[in-house]
Amino acid sequence: MERVGEITSAPPAYDRHQTQTAFITGEFIRWLGEQDHGRPWFAHVSFLRPHPPFIVPAPYNRMYDPADMPSFVQQPSASQEADTHPLMRLALAITGAEHFVPGRTGPVTALSDAELRQIKATYYGMITEVDDQLGRLFAGIKSAGAWNDTLIVFTSDHAEMMGDHHTLGKGGFYDQSQHIPLIIRDPGATLRGQRVEAFTEAVDIFPTLLDFIGVGAKHVADGASLSPMIAAPSTSHRWRDAVHWEFDFRDVAGQSAEQALSLSSTELNMSVVRTAEWKYVHFAAMPPLLFDLRADPHCLHNVADDPAFATMRIEMAERLLSWRARHLDQTLALKALTADGVVSVSRRDIG
């Protein structure tokens, strides 16, 4: 058994055939076998891993050497990381290791570099387990004779800090917890293995699925279909030049965040706009952040208060304000009741 500090690579009591991931894969294959041949079907297969607690059975638990893990992106010390913003100070203060590692207690900031490398090696093993189960799932689709008729979308709801910026978990404004995979296999596409570098958002999945099955949305979608990119990735067409996300960190029941920051529950939220060159983070009641991604790709130096970047700060704030205005609740706003009935438009019609 390998042990680094209080972190171990020991496997759990169950084996690789008894994990949640293996069970979900098996249940999908069983369900697929019960479907009527030739009839359309839709499945949302939601794997729970990789996810805390970070533990995985053999052979995945020792598949990766902690010494080979990439270095961490972080300030020289956890205290310096906390000084970067009140939200980071709060996150580092409340994030406990017990939520991620069985048997480990204390704050995540107390984990050593060697311990974090072992956690990352285990996490990589958890990812590989999912890869193997996806292979099993794909084999099941092929055995059912549906491989050439099935659109496959692989993505995630969030990513993982995994030691960067002295923390573990999700949320906040760093790319590490927001940059997620998106792989789409169109059985009818003539191009394979194409990589698209354009910005996409999770809200694009819904209109993409509707586009492929030929069904129109019954309400206004925030995203846009990715089918043009899938059909011809090299073809230039109008697309977003920035990505956005929001994060709410209130604690309505316990009021821990509210008390720590001396703010109300309605003030504990933030919005982010990120282009290829800049990232701007706006808080309801805390100082904003601005990062020059060309000079500082890891977001280690906030330049929001630097007079030399005042113009860019205003420009990015205006971009974020315009985005929020375009994405107000449009449930009824884009409909009109006329003598000929209800007339509606979509965001695509508006541009």
Side-chain angles (χ1 to χ4, degrees):
M1 180 176 68
E2 298 287 339
R3 179 175 287 276
V4 178
E6 296 183 37
I7 309 299
T8 176
S9 63
Y14 50 87
D15 64 31
R16 64 190 181 96
H17 303 294
Q18 300 169 315
T19 66
Q20 296 165 325
T21 309
F23 172 78
I24 292 171
T25 302
E27 285 300 288
F28 165 77
I29 294 173
R30 179 195 58 76
W31 173 86
L32 183 59
E34 296 174 350
Q35 305 311 301
D36 293 337
H37 184 72
R39 292 191 62 185
W41 54 268
F42 180 92
H44 177 202
V45 183
S46 181
F47 292 126
L48 304 179
R49 300 302 181 95
H51 192 279
F54 298 138
I55 185 170
V56 68
Y60 307 107
N61 61 319
R62 294 176 185 168
M63 190 171 285
Y64 297 93
D65 188 339
D68 295 333
M69 294 298 101
S71 299
F72 300 100
V73 174
Q74 53 189 212
Q75 299 289 350
S77 68
S79 62
Q80 289 172 280
E81 199 78 63
D83 289 339
T84 60
H85 195 270
L87 178 59
M88 281 305 298
R89 182 173 299 280
L90 173 66
L92 294 175
I94 67 175
T95 305
E98 67 274 8
H99 298 299
F100 304 93
V101 184
R104 185 65 157 91
T105 59
V108 167
T109 53
L111 294 170
S112 67
D113 183 85
E115 288 178 315
L116 286 171
R117 286 178 179 275
Q118 177 57 68
I119 293 172
K120 184 178 285 192
T122 299
Y123 191 78
Y124 280 23
M126 296 171 74
I127 293 174
T128 301
E129 187 211 359
V130 171
D131 288 344
D132 285 353
Q133 290 298 328
L134 283 173
R136 181 183 165 210
L137 184 148
F138 296 156
I141 296 176
K142 292 176 181 177
S143 296
W147 183 249
N148 294 325
D149 302 308
T150 302
L151 175 74
I152 296 174
V153 179
F154 175 81
T155 189
S156 177
D157 58 340
H158 63 82
E160 164 62 47
M161 293 300 297
M162 196 43 59
D164 284 349
H165 297 281
H166 294 277
T167 192
L168 297 170
K170 61 183 179 180
F173 48 83
Y174 289 118
D175 286 11
Q176 285 89 338
S177 69
Q178 305 295 337
H179 191 182
I180 60 176
L182 175 58
I183 301 174
I184 300 177
R185 178 191 180 271
D186 175 10
T190 57
L191 296 174
R192 294 283 187 228
Q194 300 295 310
R195 180 187 293 269
V196 179
E197 299 292 343
F199 287 118
T200 61
E201 298 178 345
V203 291
D204 297 329
I205 302 299
F206 173 65
T208 300
L209 293 176
L210 294 186
D211 208 5
F212 271 93
I213 62 179
V215 176
K218 294 190 176 183
H219 68 276
V220 178
D222 287 321
S225 174
L226 301 172
S227 56
M229 292 187 184
I230 300 170
S234 61
T235 302
S236 61
H237 57 279
R238 183 181 178 185
W239 193 249
R240 68 170 63 92
D241 61 355
V243 67
H244 311 79
W245 68 88
E246 297 176 319
F247 179 54
D248 190 308
F249 45 96
R250 73 189 75 186
D251 178 13
V252 175
Q255 292 289 296
S256 59
E258 288 81 346
Q259 293 174 13
L261 297 169
S262 298
L263 297 172
S264 68
S265 295
T266 58
E267 295 175 308
L268 299 183
N269 58 81
M270 64 169 222
S271 298
V272 183
V273 55
R274 185 201 189 282
T275 68
E277 299 178 343
W278 299 94
K279 178 192 289 187
Y280 175 73
V281 188
H282 193 90
F283 293 85
M286 290 192 291
L289 296 162
L290 179 67
F291 299 103
D292 180 354
L293 300 179
R294 297 166 299 182
D296 179 28
H298 301 305
C299 298
L300 295 171
H301 307 288
N302 174 29
V303 296
D305 293 330
D306 189 331
F309 296 92
T311 299
M312 182 53 62
R313 172 175 165 176
I314 293 173
E315 179 181 327
M316 294 297 287
E318 290 179 344
R319 286 191 60 148
L320 185 58
L321 182 61
S322 296
W323 173 78
R324 289 181 63 87
R326 287 196 302 271
H327 290 80
L328 296 172
D329 183 4
Q330 305 285 358
T331 303
L332 299 176
L334 299 180
K335 300 182 187 304
L337 183 59
T338 72
D340 297 321
V342 177
V343 176
S344 63
V345 294
S346 68
R347 292 190 190 278
R348 181 183 296 180
D349 297 327
I350 298 171

